[in-house]
Amino acid sequence: MVLDDPKEILFLCALQNAVKHGGVPQAGAVIGMVMGAHPELRSRAKEVSALAKDAINAVATLSPEERIAMLRTRAPDMFDALSDRHEHKKVLPDLEKAENGVVMRFAPNPSGPLHIGHARAAALNDAYVKQYGGRYILRIEDTDPKRVDPDAYGMVAGDLKWLGLGITETVTQSDRLSLYYDLCRQLIEKGGAYVCTCNNERFRELKQAGTACPCRGQTVAKNLGLWQKMLDHTFREGEASVRIKTDLSNPDPAMRDFPAFRILDLPPHPKVKAHVYPLMNFSVVADDHLLGVTHVIRGKDHIANTRRQRYIYDHFGWKVPVYRHYGRMGIEGVVLSTSQMRLGINGGTYTGWDDIRLGTLRALARRGISPEAVKNAMLAIGIGDTDISFSWDNLYAENRKIVDPVANRYFFVSDPLRVRIEGAARHTAHAMLHPGDAARGTRTLEFEGTVLIPKSEISEGVAMLRLKDLFNVRVAWDNGTPSFTFSGDSLADARAARARIIQWLPAQDSVPCTLLSPEGEMTGACEPLVRKELNNVVQFERVGFARIDAANASGIRAYFTHK
Ligand code: GLU
């Protein structure tokens, strides 16, 4: 940016300093910054020093949010310089064998909508495909009909559209059963799998003891015959399964001859007519191989599966992808279990999958969290294998960066107190729609004598208030009852008296507004213009950001996003 006005340079340096350190900047520091960045002003040092105080005072009148917004709009490069140094933008670590491009996948089960936990795998894989170039496969893993919710196919697709991933192709495993059956036959022919007709209890005992079950030694021909009986439905549920031959001496019994296919008589699959289903380890390996997946990034909870899956790769002689397993992520404050959510929805505790007490992506969207913020928060968490707890504050910080420059500002008055102000003539207040972007214009609030103010701002002892963008009010107390009188326009007077600057609404021109958060609801009123912001995130000044969810004759419903 080329600047030649020392006043503007001083103001921006003071602003940058205040954003960086908070509080009121020191004159010396600001002058030093100016001289460092603009050596041409050194010959005008006296003039610059004389102007510094005004610049600092101007910055001091701004709220922290206003400072950020203004710096971002008026000097984006100074704003960026700040964030580069302070946010420690985390770059994902390199992946081995990725130089020539990658094929990666996101593989959710369609048992409900996606939640924050899913977003991590979705965002990390996405970022790597973008980093290295290649294909990003969405694989819908629906081979367990007990865990398929027919509505989830559409919900998952909608959630991913919202998240905005670079998916290049989509496959659904229930469309691919014949491929798995075929590979199963091949694996039996190779001697890598067998059909086991032991009852579960018996098999478990033998497995614990590291002993082969009688089926393990069957000939290939016998296994193929039994496999055919599974496919024919001659065998019913629980009577037979296909097992992968692993190592019976593996110290971990869970690795020993794990199942690859099972029979389920019920429930019917919503998409295909079938009763023989691959278990996850088989279908995942089959598809990772068939689809050419080069790198798999998934949670640590899959480490045991990775070990199991290696046996299948080895039997087939297939190339194993590169795996990275990230640590667990505890998420507090919201419900994440699909079954718990479903129960709550059916029982009427939650309004639906986007109830803001849930951890679904649609609940986040409803609260005004942007998909970019979700992805950025996940990339910041990264693929480290240490267990962490998810930080809502970090998500909110990411979201604030996105919504702050966009959100228009309005007044919301919680729990309003109707107050008559004596001695004030009619006044028109012009409040900026956005403090950092004058071009957006102003809202007009007409003062006609009576206003609504937040009850919480009035407590005995308060002597003066400033109604933001309007004027000052003197508060007198008589036996605990306040009365309010006009007390001039001067912002400087209000500052000198340390008067609180509060939001207000013209009593004759406001709309009832309910602000909901996971913790509960706040009733109040807001400016009528907010009606025009349906589905947008706005900032209710000094309250926080909120997404306008509904606007009808009875008023406005907004969801609190964050401070
Ligand atoms: N569908 C599996 C899950 O959601 C993912 C399997 C995998 O990533 O390998 O847990």
Side-chain angles (χ1 to χ4, degrees):
M1 189 188 349
V2 184
L3 282 173
D4 52 12
D5 175 7
K7 272 194 198 161
E8 177 71 358
I9 295 173
L10 274 162
F11 176 75
L12 292 175
C13 287
L15 192 59
Q16 192 196 35
N17 184 294
V19 170
K20 185 169 163 189
H21 302 294
V24 177
Q26 299 287 317
V30 175
I31 294 167
M33 271 173 82
V34 170
M35 296 306 182
H38 296 270
E40 73 281 3
L41 288 177
R42 284 180 197 163
S43 58
R44 296 161 71 185
K46 245 197 171 138
E47 184 193 347
V48 170
S49 303
L51 291 168
K53 209 161 179 300
D54 287 346
I56 291 168
N57 287 344
V59 169
T61 64
L62 302 169
S63 69
E65 296 88 38
E66 288 167 339
R67 291 173 183 178
I68 292 171
M70 204 173 275
L71 184 64
R72 189 197 290 263
T73 353
R74 287 192 23 196
D77 45 352
M78 288 173 80
F79 181 80
D80 290 346
L82 217 49
S83 46
D84 280 353
R85 205 164 337 136
H86 283 271
E87 279 159 21
H88 303 293
K89 274 225 162 88
K90 290 207 180 108
V91 183
L92 294 174
D94 287 336
L95 290 179
E96 68 234 58
K97 301 190 203 155
E99 307 74 35
N100 299 324
V102 294
V103 179
M104 300 181 73
R105 40 67 163 189
F106 174 55
N109 304 337
S111 51
L114 300 181
H115 58 65
I116 311 173
H118 292 111
R120 187 165 179 201
L124 288 171
N125 283 289
D126 185 57
Y128 274 124
V129 175
K130 287 189 176 124
Q131 184 169 324
Y132 290 110
R135 292 155 56 209
Y136 190 20
I137 301 161
L138 167 63
R139 189 166 75 213
I140 304 293
E141 303 209 325
D142 61 344
T143 56
D144 180 356
K146 290 185 188 163
R147 290 174 59 204
V148 172
D149 171 357
D151 294 338
Y153 294 94
M155 290 197 279
V156 168
D159 293 343
L160 290 173
K161 190 159 179 243
W162 177 79
L163 205 50
L165 304 177
I167 302 279
T168 55
E169 61 214 79
T170 301
V171 297
T172 302
Q173 289 191 320
S174 59
D175 292 341
R176 301 165 63 82
L177 292 180
S178 58
L179 292 170
Y180 312 135
Y181 296 161
D182 194 45
L183 286 172
C184 181
R185 184 185 44 76
Q186 290 179 34
L187 193 56
I188 291 173
E189 284 169 354
K190 286 177 186 291
Y194 58 96
V195 175
C196 176
T197 52
C198 298
N199 78 41
N200 277 339
E201 204 39 52
R202 175 81 187 123
F203 182 83
R204 194 169 309 125
E205 281 165 23
L206 293 168
K207 179 179 81 173
Q208 289 304 118
T211 311
C213 83
C215 314
R216 198 178 206 254
Q218 285 157 179
T219 61
V220 167
K222 171 114 197 240
N223 280 320
L224 287 175
L226 295 172
W227 170 237
Q228 194 53 47
K229 280 184 164 182
M230 282 178 71
L231 293 176
D232 290 346
H233 217 178
T234 310
F235 284 128
R236 312 296 291 192
E237 186 168 332
E239 291 176 352
S241 61
V242 175
R243 295 189 174 279
I244 303 295
K245 267 193 203 168
T246 68
D247 177 1
L248 293 176
S249 62
N250 190 308
D252 179 1
M255 294 297 133
R256 299 175 194 160
D257 288 18
F258 61 85
F261 283 84
R262 63 175 170 176
I263 301 170
L264 290 176
D265 297 334
L266 284 172
H269 195 285
K271 275 181 137 24
V272 283
K273 208 167 137 32
H275 56 272
V276 174
Y277 295 98
L279 285 135
M280 179 179 71
N281 284 307
F282 193 90
S283 44
V284 160
V285 170
D287 278 338
D288 282 347
H289 172 74
L290 294 173
L291 301 166
V293 170
T294 58
H295 294 74
V296 173
I297 296 186
R298 57 185 181 189
K300 240 166 130 172
D301 44 328
H302 281 295
I303 285 183
N305 290 323
T306 301
R307 290 197 195 109
R308 291 187 188 98
Q309 290 171 16
R310 270 179 204 277
Y311 286 105
I312 306 178
Y313 281 102
D314 289 349
H315 283 309
F316 279 113
W318 290 339
K319 190 161 169 251
V320 180
V322 175
Y323 292 98
R324 295 293 285 260
H325 297 98
Y326 52 75
R328 290 187 179 78
M329 181 167 86
I331 303 169
E332 294 200 345
V334 287
V335 181
L336 287 173
S337 129
T338 309
S339 52
Q340 218 178 315
M341 292 195 262
R342 183 173 287 113
L343 268 177
I345 293 169
N346 294 340
T349 312
Y350 305 125
T351 54
W353 292 107
D354 60 356
D355 187 297
I356 55 168
R357 289 163 289 178
L358 308 182
T360 58
L361 296 185
R362 44 197 62 214
L364 293 183
R366 192 155 202 207
R367 287 168 59 180
I369 302 289
S370 85
E372 289 307 317
V374 174
K375 286 189 283 188
N376 291 343
M378 294 304 161
L379 298 188
I381 292 168
I383 60 168
D385 62 1
T386 11
D387 296 348
I388 47 130
S389 54
F390 173 74
S391 159
W392 288 96
D393 284 342
N394 288 351
L395 175 66
Y396 296 159
E398 292 292 348
N399 201 57
R400 199 172 293 115
K401 286 189 227 162
I402 292 163
V403 294
D404 184 61
V406 183
N408 284 328
R409 272 51 172 176
Y410 297 98
F411 290 154
F412 167 82
V413 171
S414 66
D415 198 9
L417 193 67
R418 211 183 151 87
V419 158
R420 174 142 193 98
I421 315 259
E422 303 301 335
R426 286 184 169 230
H427 253 79
T428 303
H430 299 282
M432 291 178 95
L433 271 168
H434 195 287
D437 184 6
R440 271 191 236 181
T442 53
R443 311 108 63 185
T444 332
L445 292 94
E446 299 289 352
F447 169 79
E448 292 179 6
T450 306
V451 295
L452 305 180
I453 56 175
K455 209 174 255 165
S456 58
E457 301 286 0
I458 307 300
S459 55
E460 185 135 20
V462 170
M464 187 164 167
L465 290 169
R466 180 175 176 81
L467 305 186
K468 187 161 189 278
D469 301 310
L470 188 67
F471 51 58
N472 307 332
V473 175
R474 204 170 52 250
V475 188
W477 292 88
D478 180 17
N479 264 334
T481 310
S483 59
F484 302 84
T485 319
F486 174 72
S487 170
D489 293 309
S490 158
L491 183 55
D493 287 355
R495 287 238 163 71
R498 301 190 169 276
R500 261 217 165 82
I501 303 180
I502 66 169
Q503 59 281 35
W504 60 280
L505 292 165
Q508 78 286 355
D509 195 22
S510 73
V511 183
C513 177
T514 308
L515 185 56
L516 296 115
S517 73
E519 289 77 41
E521 65 177 60
M522 232 194 258
T523 47
C526 67
E527 296 175 40
L529 263 187
V530 175
R531 285 190 182 285
K532 296 211 174 115
E533 299 274 8
L534 187 62
N535 295 325
N536 294 341
V537 174
V538 302
Q539 188 189 53
F540 284 138
E541 296 193 35
R542 289 175 167 72
V543 175
F545 292 93
R547 188 182 145 274
I548 307 307
D549 191 65
N552 53 37
S554 61
I556 286 169
R557 181 178 63 222
Y559 283 111
F560 184 72
T561 313
H562 46 67
K563 277 265 180 213

